[in-house]
Amino acid sequence: MTALLEVSGLTVRFGSPSGEVHAVEDVSFAISSGESLGIVGESGSGKTVTCMSLSWLLPSPPTRYVGGRITFKGEELRPHQEKRLRHIRGRGIGMIFQNSRLSFDPAYRMGAQIAEVLRAHLPQPWRELRPEVIQTLQSCNIADAEAVLDKYPHEVSGGVAQRVSIALALLIRPDLLVADEPTTSLDLLSQIEVLALLEKLRRETGLAMILVSHDLSVVRRIADRVVIMYAGRIVEQGPAEAIFSDPRHPYTQGLLFSALQKREGGRLFELPGTPPDLAALPSGCSFRPRCPHAFAACEEMPALLPAGPAREARCHLLDPAARRD
Amino acid sequence: MLAYTAQRVLSIIPTLIGVSLVTFGLLHLVPGGPALAMLGMAASDPKAVAAVTKELGLDRSLPEQYWIWLKRAVTGNFGTSTEFHVPVTALLFPKLEHTLILTAGSLFYAVVLGLMVGITTALYHRSLYDRLAMLLTLIGASAPVFWIGLLLIYLFAIRLGWLPALGMASPLGPPTVLGVLKHLILPAFANSIISLAVIARIVRSGMMEALVQPYILAARARGLPRWRQVVVHAFRNVLPDAINITGLQVGFLFGGALFVEVVFGWPGLGYLIYSSIQARDYVTLQAAVLIVSAAFIFVNLVADLARMALDPREARS
């Protein structure tokens, strides 16, 4: 089966006063139709930039697309081809952002903004689409859908705005839905609702989905496969079940261990140290300064090594030839 | 909005009274008094001076003179021009119309070019175009208007011969609308430069701020075409500021037109004031200054009310 979306060697950088920021380095992964992929990492791990780069969304300049090939439905997408990319964005790859209230223009009512996006992609006039819009909003648990259309973004809650933006993404029927931290800016109750909505969508529509989060429990509920990112690189990827039950990279182990400790109410486990400055990465493995197992071989950046069925991890511990001692 | 309008309209009455006092006083500030000034060379004859003083009513008390002058001014009687020997009113109102045409032309340039420069420099900010445009607006806004005017005349009228240098219409044949528009290009542009620069800079900074808002990235992610991101979303959020700053420029452009008229020989109020001063025609000067002040107050009032009506934030409060 060919992949719906294939990313290979994606490398994205930004200029900054303190040097060039290596936001994403040599990231490769694929997602098939109907699959859901979770991308996990701390802030600054490159997960958001990776998502935004799937349709070359970030304006360049200042963003520098250094390398990488993105193939979507068999077609190679290239940066700067705005005319072509416009039809991929929204229609092929739908996106949901962290703060949905801010993703709507404060100067227009929600209904007008929905109509505008639909008009850009669909041939039917708003009059014909309106019943479907109402229905989709309702299926996204917005009870007073009619009233919401007449409201300005500042008049709705963050949870409602997030559900409207999910409904809007769905209305254009994308092949792939990318949700970047969709629950992070919401209160606990809205988080649960939005998560349940995404789960329902997964179950009922079989829509391919990329879910970006720093929250493992969120990813665990939805993702079939997981990509763990650290300092702009993939450090581990594989089936969700396998990674959650048996993490192979020390960073993944640290992440899972801290989440586990939290659940059991014990003393919080902390990964020592902080993620590195992306403008001044340490030599060798980026995780080396924080890694409890670091040894001589880690002075060189490890490659992604096989770590089980359909699994890879970027760690010298997996290389028998590089064993310590 | 209604209460504000009423308050704003009523507030111009004390301003107008103040202006009338100053313009009335103007005549009495002339060294030697108005009679001497009017007679010029003939002022050596004391009898002539006394006759003119009596004829003009200058032997009465100042408040009495002011009251008579004001009563006449309100009915539109500003006396007779000592230079042209016609009623000042007949002289003034056509000139006021010409000045308003120049003001409107300047406003057109300031708004159209200001928005164009502001939006495009924000889109290509830090580019060579942006730096050049910002440098030019800075120079344009800092240079005195008569110098800019002379440069424009030298370049476009004398060197290139594309546009007429002076006046409002061709002296040959009757004036045509097209002819007036052609004569309007240089003076209106010269007058608009400072306002153009102000509008361009405000719009540029507003657009730069708006273009990096999350809703623009979201609009992009939802597949909206670039022009919609820029015009429908980013510019819409800059519009209230743009209207605000434009409203403030209207009065400024009206005032600037008076200077530009002298450089370009535009037959408006500014030119009339200039020639009245040269001819020591104080009756005309007095009336012209009063009309200019009243028009300035009125233009500002209209701009202010238009701004209120168009700015949704102001209207809501």
Side-chain angles (χ1 to χ4, degrees), chain A residues 3 12 22 41 48 85 89 105 126 132 164 180 189 200-201 220 234 237 255 289 301 305:
Chain A
V12 184
H22 294 237
T48 295
L85 288 171
R89 294 174 187 149
D105 186 333
W126 171 245
E132 194 191 332
V164 172
D180 181 13
L189 212 63
K200 187 180 91 170
L201 283 174
R220 197 167 199 165
I234 294 181
Q237 66 170 320
L255 270 185
M301 174 63 77
L305 301 168

Side-chain angles (χ1 to χ4, degrees), chain A residues 57 86 103 105 108 116 121, chain B residues 220 222-223 228 232-233 237:
Chain A
L57 189 61
R86 175 171 105 62
S103 81
D105 186 333
Y108 298 94
E116 182 191 23
H121 293 287
Chain B
R220 210 163 131 87
R222 291 176 186 138
R228 288 201 78 95
V232 179
H233 293 288
N237 285 278

Side-chain angles (χ1 to χ4, degrees), chain A residues 28-95:
Chain A
S28 305
F29 62 89
I31 176 166
S32 338
S33 307
E35 194 181 20
S36 74
L37 177 74
I39 301 182
V40 179
E42 290 164 273
S43 36
S45 63
K47 54 194 195 307
T48 295
V49 176
T50 301
C51 277
M52 303 270 184
S53 303
L54 298 180
S55 58
W56 308 111
L57 189 61
L58 295 172
S60 158
T63 311
R64 289 216 307 122
Y65 292 119
V66 178
R69 223 180 126 87
I70 289 176
T71 316
F72 181 69
K73 292 168 86 178
E75 175 192 354
E76 189 185 346
L77 306 182
R78 291 170 201 275
H80 304 298
Q81 293 187 325
E82 291 296 314
K83 281 223 173 73
R84 178 69 197 123
L85 288 171
R86 175 171 105 62
H87 296 283
I88 300 292
R89 294 174 187 149
R91 190 86 166 117
I93 303 175
M95 281 207 74

Side-chain angles (χ1 to χ4, degrees), chain A residues 149-264:
Chain A
L149 291 182
D150 284 332
K151 284 189 172 149
Y152 284 97
H154 68 269
E155 295 172 327
V156 303
S157 71
V160 168
Q162 191 59 285
R163 281 174 277 155
V164 172
S165 83
I166 294 173
L168 176 55
L170 295 177
L171 277 162
I172 328 169
R173 297 195 194 85
D175 302 286
L176 172 66
L177 184 66
V178 179
D180 181 13
E181 302 263 15
T183 59
T184 308
S185 69
L186 304 178
D187 60 86
L188 199 59
L189 212 63
S190 301
Q191 281 192 16
I192 294 168
E193 276 185 12
V194 166
L195 210 57
L197 176 61
L198 290 173
E199 247 185 326
K200 187 180 91 170
L201 283 174
R202 280 282 303 136
R203 245 191 352 261
E204 290 175 4
T205 63
L207 180 68
M209 197 181 286
I210 293 180
L211 179 73
V212 176
S213 184
H214 65 275
D215 188 338
L216 288 165
S217 62
V218 169
V219 172
R220 197 167 199 165
R221 277 178 68 172
I222 291 181
D224 302 326
R225 267 186 335 109
V226 175
V227 166
I228 312 277
M229 289 189 72
Y230 185 80
R233 288 176 197 268
I234 294 181
V235 292
E236 183 159 7
Q237 66 170 320
E241 226 19 75
I243 288 191
F244 283 119
S245 57
D246 176 26
R248 304 301 300 272
H249 193 283
Y251 176 64
T252 320
Q253 289 165 1
L255 270 185
L256 281 174
F257 193 47
S258 48
L260 198 71
Q261 289 281 53
K262 200 163 76 183
R263 194 142 12 105
E264 288 172 356

Side-chain angles (χ1 to χ4, degrees), chain B residues 63-313:
Chain B
E64 204 178 342
Q65 288 184 39
Y66 172 70
W67 183 243
I68 295 169
W69 176 75
L70 190 66
K71 268 200 300 197
R72 287 189 187 155
V74 166
T75 58
N77 179 4
F78 291 104
T80 308
S81 161
T82 53
E83 172 74 7
F84 300 101
H85 307 290
V86 292
V88 170
T89 330
L91 214 57
L92 279 179
F93 283 97
K95 306 285 185 199
L96 174 63
E97 197 185 314
H98 296 167
T99 300
L100 288 178
I101 290 174
L102 181 55
T103 307
S106 315
L107 185 64
F108 174 81
Y109 278 115
V111 171
V112 172
L113 296 179
L115 289 185
M116 271 169 51
V117 171
I119 292 175
T120 49
T121 49
L123 285 177
Y124 301 104
H125 82 111
R126 289 193 185 166
S127 68
L128 187 66
Y129 163 70
D130 176 33
R131 282 166 213 266
L132 216 64
M134 284 303 107
L135 185 69
L136 276 177
T137 55
L138 183 69
I139 293 173
S142 319
V145 67
F146 53 82
W147 183 70
I148 296 267
L150 290 177
L151 279 188
L152 287 173
I153 291 175
Y154 177 72
L155 184 63
F156 290 99
I158 298 172
R159 289 313 288 264
L160 297 169
W162 291 349
L163 294 165
L166 294 171
M168 190 172 164
S170 167
L172 313 165
T176 58
V177 172
L178 205 69
V180 171
L181 286 180
K182 208 171 158 187
H183 281 76
L184 185 60
I185 294 176
L186 288 184
F189 180 70
N191 188 27
S192 74
I193 289 178
I194 294 177
S195 299
L196 189 163
V198 170
I199 292 174
R201 280 169 178 269
I202 293 279
V203 169
R204 176 178 178 269
S205 67
M207 283 296 285
M208 275 170 54
E209 203 187 312
L211 283 168
V212 296
Q213 293 298 311
Y215 58 80
I216 297 295
L217 189 69
R220 210 163 131 87
R222 291 176 186 138
L224 293 185
R226 183 70 177 149
W227 74 266
R228 288 201 78 95
Q229 298 165 29
V230 173
V231 178
V232 179
H233 293 288
F235 184 64
R236 174 61 184 80
N237 285 278
V238 177
L239 193 59
D241 288 342
I243 290 171
N244 234 328
I245 196 73
T246 304
L248 293 174
Q249 296 306 312
V250 178
F252 184 79
L253 287 170
F254 180 78
L258 302 179
F259 294 98
V260 171
E261 282 171 6
V262 178
V263 180
F264 287 91
W266 186 267
L269 280 179
Y271 198 74
L272 183 71
I273 288 173
Y274 173 73
S275 42
S276 310
I277 292 171
Q278 283 197 322
R280 299 188 141 217
D281 182 350
Y282 291 99
V283 179
T284 307
L285 180 61
Q286 199 179 32
V289 171
L290 184 69
I291 289 295
V292 164
S293 314
F296 187 87
I297 292 168
F298 183 71
V299 160
N300 265 333
L301 173 73
V302 170
D304 208 25
L305 293 181
R307 200 171 77 211
M308 291 288 290
L310 286 170
D311 187 341
R313 286 180 309 184

